DNA sequence: AACGCGCCCAACCGCAAGCTC
DNA sequence: CGAGCTTGCGGTTGGGCGCGT
């Protein structure tokens, strides 16, 4: 169908003009027949050249529509079903690494935010960028809305990183323990290492570990932490008054936090640069190669402690029912919080407003 | 049973980059 | 070098569905 240079060649079935084609083009949900047509055509002719493919296959669809249908739904390796806990954790981690691109325009406060859904999706076999994007917008942004804070705010990112993600790790570990671990699917946790083997069908193993050979990289010129991706800048973290006191490979615990979280102290201290980023150890960036990091080697230290550290320090939290729907409703994967968590976080956010 | 509401997700749209001639 | 086309990406939309009243 294509010429030597790869440019589309009009096939016999395409004698209509573009205008005529546009009038006939179907939109909306795909039918089974259309799916079969597309599958058969790709099986025989391969992917690519979607516009000519659509014409030659007799599909009254745009090339874009065919491409999207194939990539997001019909591809044999597309994984279906709910996002697993491991995948959620990976999404949160990769989003914090790649998700936002802040571009400072000189002498202005303008910046662009460019999400990297496709890049994130590449690290989750069988998942599409559309799925990742939908997950983020429906689940994660919902939680931000519940907390009455912006999903891009420092508070929410810190909450995600230091509460949500550790809680996911706990649940993954708990699930692995409950299921009975074997040599091929094991979960081990030591003071410095937490290795989690997933049970997904792709046999992908996501490792969360602390490795002294990996050094955090602090870009002093930019006064920001560069966590490896050439264009990602993390917001400065400050949780529970734990500022600049966390050892690179140490725990983020009540012992090394200067101030234990409390309703009137949390979030009120601000540091120009927080060493909390050290709670995660990242490899040294090598040039601007964004793909340098082994995607399955997510670096967590023992900083992945129980969120209870923040809440069980003798604080007398008031019980609240206002967010019970959040905790009780939704699927299991959303049920990571309790009423005290929500109350505490909302107090913290309110104090920062 | 009917209605309203919110959530989820497949599909669409616009834009930009890359490729080819 | 520029035009035309293709591809890929991220944001948005709208229909289906479940749940509560």
């Amino acid at each position: 169908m294509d010429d030597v240079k790869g440019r589309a060649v009009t096939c016999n079935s395409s004698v209509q003009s573009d205008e005529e084609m546009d009038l006939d083009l179907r939109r909306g949900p795909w039918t089974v027949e259309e799916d079969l047509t597309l599958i058969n055509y790709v099986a025989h002719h391969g992917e690519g050249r979607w516009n000519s493919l659509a014409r030659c296959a007799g599909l009254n669809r745009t090339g874009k529509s065919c491409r999207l249908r194939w990539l997001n739904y019909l591809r044999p390796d597309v994984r279906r079903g709910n996002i697993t806990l491991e995948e959620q954790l990976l999404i949160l981690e990769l989003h914090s690494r790649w998700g936002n691109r802040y571009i400072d325009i000189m002498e202005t406060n303008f910046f662009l935010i460019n999400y990297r859904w496709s890049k994130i999706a590449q690290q989750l076999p069988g998942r599409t960028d559309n799925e990742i994007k939908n997950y983020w917008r429906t689940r994660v942004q919902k939680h931000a809305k519940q907390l009455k804070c912006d999903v891009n705010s420092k508070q929410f990112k810190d909450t995600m990183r230091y509460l949500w993600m550790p809680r996911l790790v706990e649940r993954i570990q708990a699930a692995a323990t409950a299921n009975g671990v074997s040599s091929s699917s094991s979960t081990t946790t030591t003071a410095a290492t937490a290795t989690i083997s997933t049970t997904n069908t792709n046999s992908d193993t996501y490792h969360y570990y602390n490795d002294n050979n990996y050094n955090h990289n602090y870009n002093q010129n930019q006064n920001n932490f560069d966590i490896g991706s050439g264009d990602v800048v993390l917001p400065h973290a400050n949780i529970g008054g734990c500022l600049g006191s966390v050892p690179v490979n140490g725990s983020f615990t009540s012992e090394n936090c200067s101030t234990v979280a409390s309703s009137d102290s949390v979030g009120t201290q601000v540091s120009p640069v927080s060493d909390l980023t050290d709670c995660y150890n990242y490899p040294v960036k090598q040039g601007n190669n964004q793909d340098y990091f082994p995607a399955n080697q997510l670096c967590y230290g023992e900083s992945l402690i129980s969120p209870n550290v923040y809440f069980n320090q003798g604080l007398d939290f008031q019980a609240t029912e206002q967010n019970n729907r959040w905790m009780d409703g939704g699927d299991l994967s959303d049920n990571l919080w309790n009423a005290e968590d929500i109350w505490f976080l909302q107090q913290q956010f309110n104090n920062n407003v």
Side-chain angles (χ1 to χ4, degrees):
Chain A
M1 281 319 143
D2 298 344
D3 64 11
V4 177
K5 297 295 183 181
R7 291 177 67 85
V9 173
T10 313
C11 58
N12 292 335
S13 62
S14 176
V15 293
Q16 293 174 296
S17 68
D18 288 345
E19 290 178 358
E20 288 171 328
M21 289 291 290
D22 286 342
L23 292 176
D24 291 339
L25 287 179
R26 272 183 50 80
R27 294 164 192 263
W30 281 63
T31 65
V32 176
E33 289 76 18
E34 286 177 312
D35 281 347
L36 290 175
T37 300
L38 181 55
I39 290 171
N40 286 331
Y41 194 88
V42 170
H44 286 98
H45 300 89
E47 303 177 35
R49 301 286 141 187
W50 293 104
N51 280 331
S52 60
L53 183 153
R55 285 193 295 267
C56 295
L59 289 163
N60 291 326
R61 295 273 184 174
T62 65
K64 290 177 79 169
S65 181
C66 293
R67 174 183 167 272
L68 211 62
R69 182 64 176 175
W70 175 257
L71 293 178
N72 287 345
Y73 198 84
L74 298 177
R75 237 182 342 143
D77 57 338
V78 168
R79 268 188 87 187
R80 315 219 61 84
N82 294 333
I83 304 283
T84 66
L85 292 173
E86 290 85 357
E87 288 173 324
Q88 290 179 50
L89 184 58
L90 197 54
I91 290 169
L92 296 181
E93 165 61 25
L94 291 177
H95 186 275
S96 70
R97 182 186 298 178
W98 292 329
N100 293 350
R101 167 188 277 184
Y102 289 82
I103 302 175
D104 292 319
I105 307 300
M106 288 184 65
E107 297 180 4
T108 74
N109 292 323
F110 180 75
F111 61 89
L112 303 172
I113 299 176
N114 182 16
Y115 293 101
R116 299 297 191 82
W117 305 121
S118 61
K119 194 175 181 67
I120 294 172
Q122 287 173 7
Q123 310 305 327
L124 286 93
R127 299 297 186 183
T128 67
D129 56 350
N130 216 26
E131 268 186 303
I132 308 299
K133 187 169 54 182
N134 282 331
Y135 168 76
W136 186 266
R137 298 182 72 86
T138 57
R139 310 292 182 82
V140 179
Q141 289 193 350
K142 179 182 75 176
H143 287 183
K145 189 178 178 181
Q146 291 280 353
L147 293 171
K148 295 183 174 65
C149 67
D150 187 87
V151 74
N152 290 312
S153 68
K154 181 181 79 66
Q155 289 97 333
F156 185 74
K157 287 178 178 178
D158 288 348
T159 302
M160 204 171 65
R161 168 162 292 201
Y162 299 110
L163 290 177
W164 195 349
M165 292 164 70
R167 189 156 293 188
L168 275 171
V169 171
E170 283 187 342
R171 291 184 56 187
I172 293 168
Q173 292 172 339
T177 303
N179 290 337
V181 289
S182 65
S183 58
S184 61
S185 177
S186 63
T187 297
T188 57
T189 304
T190 66
T193 303
T195 300
I196 299 159
S197 296
T198 69
T199 55
N200 72 43
T201 55
N202 291 318
S203 300
D204 299 306
T205 300
Y206 308 133
H207 296 285
Y208 308 89
Y209 64 95
N210 197 345
D211 188 337
N212 287 334
N213 293 327
Y214 283 1
N215 301 310
H216 65 289
N217 182 37
Y218 177 49
N219 186 335
Q220 299 195 23
N221 292 333
Q222 296 179 356
N223 198 31
N224 282 316
F225 266 95
D226 188 326
I227 60 170
S229 179
D231 50 17
V232 174
V233 177
L234 283 181
H236 302 148
N238 173 23
I239 284 279
C242 182
L243 300 173
S245 60
V246 181
V248 170
N249 292 314
S251 302
F252 179 37
T253 66
S254 59
E255 283 73 22
N256 58 26
C257 285
S258 58
T259 306
V260 173
S262 67
S263 60
D264 58 356
S265 65
V266 170
T268 58
Q269 300 180 30
V270 178
S271 169
V273 175
S274 169
D275 282 347
L276 281 182
T277 312
D278 278 341
C279 292
Y280 300 81
N281 300 314
Y282 294 93
V284 178
K285 182 180 77 172
Q286 296 190 346
N288 289 322
N289 183 3
Q290 298 175 27
D291 298 323
Y292 169 72
F293 291 89
N296 287 343
Q297 293 180 352
L298 302 183
C299 305
Y300 284 71
E302 55 180 328
S303 56
L304 292 176
I305 57 174
S306 166
N308 293 336
V309 166
Y310 303 113
F311 303 112
N312 295 340
Q313 297 290 337
L315 301 175
D316 184 20
F317 289 106
Q318 302 172 10
T320 177
E321 301 300 323
Q322 61 180 345
N323 284 294
N324 276 357
R325 189 185 172 278
W326 183 18
M327 277 69 71
D328 296 338
D331 59 27
L332 185 65
S333 62
D334 284 345
N335 197 11
L336 296 168
W337 312 77
N338 58 41
E340 291 177 351
D341 295 353
I342 306 308
W343 181 87
F344 173 81
L345 290 168
Q346 286 191 338
Q347 292 298 310
Q348 180 181 352
F349 294 148
N350 290 338
N351 287 340
N352 284 336
V353 169

